[in-house]
Amino acid sequence: MKLLRFGSAGLEKPGVQLENGTRIDVSGFGMDWDEDFFFDSSNLDKLKAWVEDNSDSAPVIGADERLGPAVKRPGKLICIGLNFSDHAKESGMEPPKEPIIFFKATSAICGPNDPMVIPRGSEKSDWEVELAVVIGKKASYVTKENALDHVAGYMLHNDYSERAYQLERGGQWVKGKSCDTFAPIGPFVATKDEVADINNCGMWLKVNGETKQNGNTSNLIFDVPHLVSYLSEFMSLHPGDIISTGTPAGVGLGFDPPQYLKAGDVVELGIDGLGESRQDIVDME
Ligand code: ZN
């Protein structure tokens, strides 16, 4: 299944994208894509059955309808730093021996095609195409072998980063990662069965039509099972929690001189099987 949410911000309704690309309103199913939904894996089977019975009569979502975040108010948004060796190199850092973990405020989450608002006074806003993992069953001390049993699905994420806040203002990276609109997620959550091989998905990002990032999940230093297992040693992962697995080379920071976003720029990105998103860059009002 491809799970999405649509409608105005804060009032989104649940939807599903069918095999033929049509998006339908599944409010009639009675659940939204949140912790309660992902808590019980049988909900996915129930939804599948509901869609089979109702896809002809459910309202079709118009192409111009806003898409919201594909997961409703996740408890945690955990990010992995420097998980591609080419990105570690361009950042002037060593590839890590263990995963680098940081948090991103969940208030940064927005719809996949919402404008990205440059924070007040910011001069170093940057992009990062990433594969995000959505947790299904609660994970605590799980092994790598069992890790995927705790994954509900995958989605596209742009881990926007303000490099001065992240690297020049002291303390943790969270400062540079958490501004409003810094986490467009979606267009949809692709459930695990939708993705043939999550360890071999092309990922790309363009700014104003020019390709900046062109990578593949096969180059992750720590793959999805490793990350789920590793994180579950330090914290419980709850249904609906999101893990963003890191970005390949080609971020603005890595260019000489660095390239940062300004109002009027357009960022487009995608991952094989997980759809595409687009953000117009705007100044804060
Ligand atoms: Zn990142």
Side-chain angles (χ1 to χ4, degrees), residues 116-176:
M116 186 283 237
V117 182
I118 295 184
R120 201 165 286 165
S122 154
E123 293 181 346
K124 296 186 178 177
S125 289
D126 201 350
W127 56 84
E128 295 191 348
V129 60
E130 300 198 7
L131 164 68
V133 176
V134 181
I135 295 296
K137 194 166 67 171
K138 182 183 168 186
S140 176
Y141 296 99
V142 301
T143 62
K144 279 185 222 176
E145 290 69 30
N146 294 330
L148 290 183
D149 294 345
H150 298 263
V151 170
Y154 305 102
M155 65 185 170
L156 176 64
H157 173 222
N158 192 346
D159 177 22
Y160 278 112
S161 307
E162 214 294 343
R163 301 301 184 193
Y165 298 0
Q166 179 191 353
L167 302 169
E168 300 167 23
R169 302 286 294 270
Q172 299 185 332
W173 290 1
V174 65
K175 286 182 203 170

XYZ file of all heavy atoms in Angstrom, residues 116-176:
486
model
N 9.459 25.550 1.499
C 10.445 25.530 2.575
C 10.743 26.978 2.939
O 11.124 27.771 2.078
C 11.722 24.809 2.117
C 12.737 24.627 3.222
S 13.658 26.123 3.628
C 15.292 25.564 3.388
N 10.536 27.293 4.204
C 10.696 28.671 4.670
C 12.091 28.855 5.245
O 12.466 28.183 6.217
C 9.635 28.999 5.743
C 9.781 30.450 6.188
C 8.230 28.714 5.226
N 12.871 29.744 4.644
C 14.218 30.021 5.160
C 14.075 30.710 6.520
O 13.346 31.692 6.646
C 15.004 30.903 4.169
C 15.233 30.102 2.872
C 16.319 31.376 4.769
C 16.080 30.812 1.844
N 14.734 30.178 7.551
C 14.588 30.780 8.889
C 15.047 32.241 8.896
O 15.893 32.630 8.087
C 15.513 29.925 9.769
C 15.750 28.665 9.002
C 15.637 29.018 7.549
N 14.502 32.998 9.808
C 14.822 34.429 9.906
C 16.332 34.618 10.062
O 16.943 34.054 10.949
C 14.087 35.006 11.121
C 13.895 36.474 11.090
C 12.864 36.889 12.132
N 11.502 36.531 11.730
C 10.459 36.508 12.559
N 10.622 36.770 13.832
N 9.260 36.201 12.109
N 16.922 35.396 9.183
C 18.347 35.710 9.283
C 19.280 34.618 8.774
O 20.500 34.787 8.783
N 18.711 33.513 8.316
C 19.552 32.382 7.886
C 20.225 32.640 6.551
O 19.639 33.211 5.640
C 18.671 31.130 7.770
O 19.222 30.217 6.833
N 21.476 32.209 6.426
C 22.202 32.341 5.155
C 22.720 31.006 4.649
O 23.321 30.936 3.586
C 23.391 33.298 5.343
C 22.935 34.719 5.620
C 24.094 35.695 5.787
O 25.254 35.253 5.955
O 23.810 36.902 5.779
N 22.545 29.932 5.434
C 23.162 28.657 5.054
C 22.166 27.499 5.070
O 22.434 26.441 5.636
C 24.369 28.366 5.958
C 25.494 29.391 5.793
C 26.737 29.021 6.572
C 27.847 30.050 6.329
N 29.047 29.768 7.135
N 21.009 27.708 4.451
C 20.025 26.621 4.381
C 20.409 25.674 3.251
O 20.710 26.094 2.143
C 18.621 27.183 4.156
O 18.177 27.838 5.321
N 20.365 24.386 3.543
C 20.934 23.354 2.671
C 19.944 22.189 2.554
O 19.019 22.066 3.341
C 22.255 22.885 3.305
C 23.207 22.213 2.319
O 22.813 21.917 1.190
O 24.372 21.975 2.728
N 20.184 21.332 1.585
C 19.277 20.209 1.273
C 19.938 18.872 1.586
O 21.164 18.778 1.622
C 18.929 20.258 -0.214
C 20.155 20.247 -1.091
C 20.862 19.148 -1.498
C 20.846 21.380 -1.639
N 21.928 19.535 -2.264
C 21.954 20.897 -2.372
C 20.630 22.763 -1.591
C 22.849 21.725 -3.046
C 21.525 23.600 -2.255
C 22.609 23.072 -2.982
N 19.146 17.822 1.777
C 19.663 16.454 1.970
C 18.576 15.443 1.613
O 17.659 15.208 2.406
C 20.080 16.213 3.437
C 21.248 17.066 3.931
C 21.797 16.633 5.283
O 21.152 15.812 5.962
O 22.877 17.126 5.655
N 18.657 14.830 0.444
C 17.693 13.769 0.112
C 17.994 12.542 0.966
O 19.159 12.154 1.115
C 17.726 13.417 -1.400
C 19.091 12.931 -1.863
C 16.667 12.356 -1.722
N 16.941 11.955 1.556
C 17.157 10.806 2.445
C 16.018 9.793 2.374
O 14.860 10.145 2.163
C 17.291 11.284 3.911
C 18.457 12.237 4.075
C 18.947 12.425 5.494
O 18.479 11.712 6.403
O 19.816 13.291 5.669
N 16.399 8.554 2.594
C 15.440 7.474 2.793
C 15.007 7.482 4.262
O 15.855 7.410 5.157
C 16.112 6.127 2.485
C 15.384 4.882 2.986
C 14.087 4.669 2.228
C 16.290 3.663 2.874
N 13.700 7.582 4.491
C 13.183 7.535 5.858
C 12.454 6.218 6.074
O 11.767 5.710 5.188
C 12.246 8.703 6.116
N 12.641 5.668 7.267
C 12.036 4.392 7.653
C 10.910 4.687 8.643
O 11.092 5.484 9.560
C 13.098 3.497 8.344
C 12.487 2.198 8.842
C 14.263 3.241 7.403
N 9.759 4.050 8.460
C 8.650 4.211 9.399
C 8.521 2.926 10.213
O 8.415 1.825 9.654
C 7.326 4.497 8.665
C 6.185 4.680 9.658
C 7.470 5.730 7.771
N 8.560 3.071 11.516
C 8.498 1.906 12.406
C 7.066 1.363 12.495
O 6.096 2.132 12.531
C 9.006 2.284 13.825
C 10.496 2.658 13.770
C 8.771 1.151 14.830
C 11.419 1.519 13.357
N 6.953 0.049 12.495
C 5.661 -0.610 12.710
C 5.588 -1.090 14.159
O 5.340 -0.324 15.079
N 5.929 -2.350 14.355
C 5.911 -2.927 15.703
C 6.994 -2.304 16.582
O 8.113 -2.071 16.117
C 6.148 -4.436 15.556
C 5.842 -5.247 16.781
C 5.780 -6.748 16.433
C 7.135 -7.300 16.009
N 7.173 -8.750 15.868
N 6.669 -2.062 17.860
C 7.628 -1.491 18.807
C 8.942 -2.285 18.794
O 8.925 -3.515 18.794
C 7.034 -1.502 20.217
C 7.946 -0.883 21.258
C 7.348 -0.991 22.660
C 8.412 -0.643 23.695
N 7.953 -0.870 25.079
N 10.063 -1.553 18.812
C 11.375 -2.196 18.750
C 12.201 -1.830 19.977
O 12.429 -0.661 20.256
C 12.119 -1.769 17.479
N 12.625 -2.838 20.713
C 13.513 -2.655 21.857
C 14.481 -3.833 21.869
O 14.047 -4.987 21.926
C 12.677 -2.614 23.146
O 13.526 -2.523 24.266
N 15.762 -3.548 21.764
C 16.794 -4.597 21.723
C 16.483 -5.658 20.665
O 16.443 -6.848 20.965
C 16.959 -5.248 23.099
C 17.469 -4.293 24.151
C 16.597 -3.688 25.054
C 18.820 -3.983 24.218
C 17.060 -2.795 26.009
C 19.296 -3.090 25.173
C 18.410 -2.500 26.068
O 18.871 -1.628 27.002
N 16.225 -5.218 19.456
C 15.980 -6.205 18.393
C 17.293 -6.506 17.675
O 18.201 -5.672 17.612
C 14.919 -5.735 17.367
C 13.592 -5.454 18.058
C 15.381 -4.526 16.589
N 17.402 -7.701 17.165
C 18.592 -8.091 16.408
C 18.468 -7.579 14.976
O 17.368 -7.269 14.504
C 18.728 -9.624 16.361
O 17.568 -10.140 15.686
C 18.830 -10.223 17.749
N 19.617 -7.534 14.290
C 19.593 -7.152 12.873
C 18.698 -8.112 12.083
O 17.972 -7.709 11.179
C 21.010 -7.215 12.289
C 21.853 -6.000 12.595
C 23.185 -6.119 11.860
C 24.299 -5.668 12.778
N 25.627 -5.841 12.191
N 18.767 -9.391 12.440
C 18.013 -10.414 11.713
C 16.507 -10.163 11.811
O 15.764 -10.428 10.872
C 18.329 -11.812 12.264
C 19.742 -12.306 11.962
C 20.846 -11.551 12.708
O 20.591 -11.063 13.843
O 21.950 -11.407 12.152
N 16.069 -9.660 12.964
C 14.625 -9.446 13.163
C 14.191 -8.008 12.917
O 13.008 -7.681 13.048
C 14.223 -9.836 14.594
C 14.391 -11.325 14.832
O 14.257 -12.113 13.892
N 14.705 -11.710 16.055
N 15.153 -7.149 12.589
C 14.863 -5.711 12.561
C 13.732 -5.339 11.599
O 12.878 -4.515 11.917
C 16.130 -4.926 12.219
N 13.725 -5.973 10.430
C 12.723 -5.566 9.434
C 11.296 -5.938 9.841
O 10.334 -5.377 9.318
C 13.061 -6.132 8.051
C 14.302 -5.510 7.378
C 14.497 -6.089 5.989
C 14.207 -3.985 7.312
N 11.169 -6.876 10.810
C 9.822 -7.180 11.335
C 9.220 -5.959 12.025
O 8.015 -5.907 12.258
C 9.886 -8.315 12.376
C 10.318 -9.621 11.748
O 10.287 -9.711 10.504
O 10.692 -10.537 12.506
N 10.071 -4.991 12.371
C 9.617 -3.814 13.114
C 9.455 -2.598 12.210
O 9.228 -1.497 12.678
C 10.592 -3.520 14.262
C 10.667 -4.646 15.247
N 9.946 -4.656 16.424
C 11.334 -5.834 15.201
C 10.172 -5.788 17.071
N 11.017 -6.517 16.354
N 9.620 -2.802 10.924
C 9.504 -1.709 9.960
C 8.168 -1.821 9.228
O 7.824 -2.893 8.725
C 10.677 -1.760 8.953
C 10.455 -0.799 7.800
C 11.991 -1.452 9.670
N 7.424 -0.700 9.198
C 6.147 -0.694 8.461
C 6.372 -0.328 7.000
O 5.734 -0.883 6.116
C 5.174 0.293 9.108
N 7.276 0.629 6.768
C 7.479 1.058 5.388
C 8.528 2.144 5.276
O 9.283 2.399 6.226
N 8.537 2.755 4.101
C 9.599 3.700 3.755
C 9.003 4.938 3.102
O 7.946 4.873 2.468
C 10.573 3.042 2.774
C 11.144 1.747 3.289
C 10.654 0.525 2.844
C 12.147 1.751 4.265
C 11.163 -0.671 3.327
C 12.651 0.557 4.756
C 12.163 -0.649 4.281
O 12.660 -1.829 4.777
N 9.716 6.044 3.221
C 9.271 7.237 2.496
C 10.443 8.175 2.221
O 11.545 8.013 2.737
C 8.142 7.947 3.237
C 8.506 8.522 4.550
S 7.037 9.217 5.374
C 7.785 9.495 6.970
N 10.151 9.134 1.386
C 11.122 10.151 0.983
C 11.140 11.278 2.015
O 10.093 11.675 2.522
C 10.671 10.687 -0.392
C 11.453 11.835 -1.022
C 12.884 11.406 -1.344
C 10.731 12.290 -2.306
N 12.333 11.793 2.294
C 12.484 12.897 3.253
C 13.572 13.827 2.761
O 14.591 13.369 2.246
C 12.878 12.315 4.627
C 13.220 13.336 5.672
N 14.285 13.172 6.527
C 12.656 14.523 5.990
C 14.346 14.209 7.349
N 13.373 15.049 7.039
N 13.354 15.124 2.896
C 14.411 16.101 2.642
C 14.842 16.669 3.992
O 14.102 17.437 4.612
C 13.915 17.209 1.704
C 15.046 18.070 1.181
O 16.174 18.024 1.688
N 14.759 18.874 0.175
N 16.009 16.259 4.449
C 16.509 16.671 5.779
C 17.163 18.051 5.658
O 18.388 18.192 5.725
C 17.512 15.619 6.286
C 18.139 15.999 7.617
O 17.550 16.814 8.341
O 19.228 15.469 7.920
N 16.317 19.080 5.496
C 16.848 20.454 5.384
C 17.682 20.791 6.616
O 17.348 20.386 7.742
C 15.703 21.453 5.230
C 15.182 21.569 3.818
C 13.907 21.114 3.482
C 15.963 22.142 2.811
C 13.428 21.223 2.187
C 15.491 22.252 1.508
C 14.227 21.797 1.199
O 13.754 21.904 -0.085
N 18.746 21.534 6.379
C 19.741 21.789 7.422
C 20.254 23.223 7.296
O 20.605 23.648 6.189
C 20.935 20.840 7.228
O 20.505 19.487 7.156
N 20.296 23.938 8.412
C 20.903 25.270 8.411
C 22.316 25.084 8.949
O 22.509 24.801 10.122
C 20.082 26.224 9.271
C 20.055 27.648 8.763
C 21.407 28.370 8.816
O 22.319 27.914 9.531
O 21.541 29.411 8.144
N 23.314 25.203 8.056
C 24.672 24.790 8.428
C 25.299 25.678 9.495
O 26.093 25.192 10.299
C 25.564 24.755 7.188
C 25.095 23.816 6.091
C 24.988 22.388 6.567
N 24.619 21.504 5.443
C 24.209 20.263 5.601
N 24.099 19.739 6.814
N 23.882 19.531 4.561
N 24.973 26.971 9.515
C 25.534 27.822 10.570
C 24.947 27.416 11.925
O 25.673 27.284 12.914
C 25.247 29.295 10.276
N 23.634 27.170 11.950
C 23.010 26.757 13.219
C 23.560 25.389 13.649
O 23.745 25.121 14.824
C 21.492 26.616 13.074
C 20.724 27.861 12.695
C 21.350 29.088 12.492
C 19.341 27.798 12.539
C 20.622 30.204 12.128
C 18.606 28.918 12.182
C 19.251 30.110 11.968
O 18.517 31.200 11.606
N 23.794 24.534 12.667
C 24.229 23.159 12.952
C 25.672 23.096 13.426
O 25.999 22.351 14.353
C 24.070 22.305 11.682
C 24.521 20.858 11.837
C 24.597 20.103 10.507
O 24.199 20.624 9.467
N 25.117 18.899 10.550
N 26.547 23.883 12.755
C 27.990 23.679 12.936
C 28.723 24.852 13.592
O 29.847 24.692 14.042
C 28.630 23.377 11.569
C 28.049 22.155 10.837
C 28.542 22.104 9.389
C 28.397 20.856 11.561
N 28.088 26.020 13.625
C 28.813 27.197 14.135
C 28.231 27.750 15.423
O 28.773 28.691 15.986
C 28.791 28.310 13.057
C 29.453 27.887 11.756
C 29.153 28.849 10.601
O 28.818 30.021 10.858
O 29.233 28.399 9.435
N 27.090 27.208 15.878
C 26.407 27.791 17.024
C 26.570 26.962 18.290
O 25.901 27.208 19.296
C 24.911 27.979 16.705
C 24.640 28.865 15.482
C 24.882 30.340 15.754
N 23.958 30.885 16.715
C 22.767 31.440 16.411
N 22.389 31.526 15.153
N 21.991 31.920 17.348
N 27.468 25.961 18.256
C 27.748 25.183 19.459
C 26.708 24.114 19.728
O 25.610 24.147 19.180
N 27.099 23.150 20.550
C 26.158 22.123 20.977
C 25.748 21.189 19.862
O 26.530 20.889 18.965
N 24.535 20.719 19.924
C 24.094 19.627 19.061
C 23.599 20.101 17.689
O 23.169 21.229 17.528
C 22.972 18.868 19.757
C 23.408 18.251 21.074
C 22.308 17.408 21.665
O 21.133 17.641 21.440
N 22.706 16.412 22.440
N 23.621 19.181 16.740
C 23.155 19.472 15.384
C 21.672 19.838 15.346
O 21.193 20.414 14.376
C 23.378 18.252 14.482
C 24.805 17.959 14.178
C 25.908 18.635 14.617
C 25.295 16.902 13.342
N 27.047 18.062 14.119
C 26.703 16.998 13.338
C 24.683 15.889 12.615
C 27.509 16.110 12.612
C 25.481 15.004 11.895
C 26.881 15.123 11.898
N 20.931 19.452 16.387
C 19.479 19.638 16.392
C 19.074 21.076 16.075
O 18.044 21.309 15.452
C 18.886 19.166 17.746
C 19.372 20.014 18.898
C 17.381 19.105 17.706
N 19.913 22.051 16.449
C 19.581 23.459 16.178
C 19.436 23.726 14.689
O 18.633 24.546 14.269
C 20.706 24.373 16.686
C 20.791 24.558 18.157
C 21.942 25.542 18.427
C 22.467 25.390 19.817
N 23.717 26.165 20.008
N 20.281 23.090 13.916
C 20.285 23.357 12.486
C 19.352 22.454 11.687
O 19.346 22.505 10.456
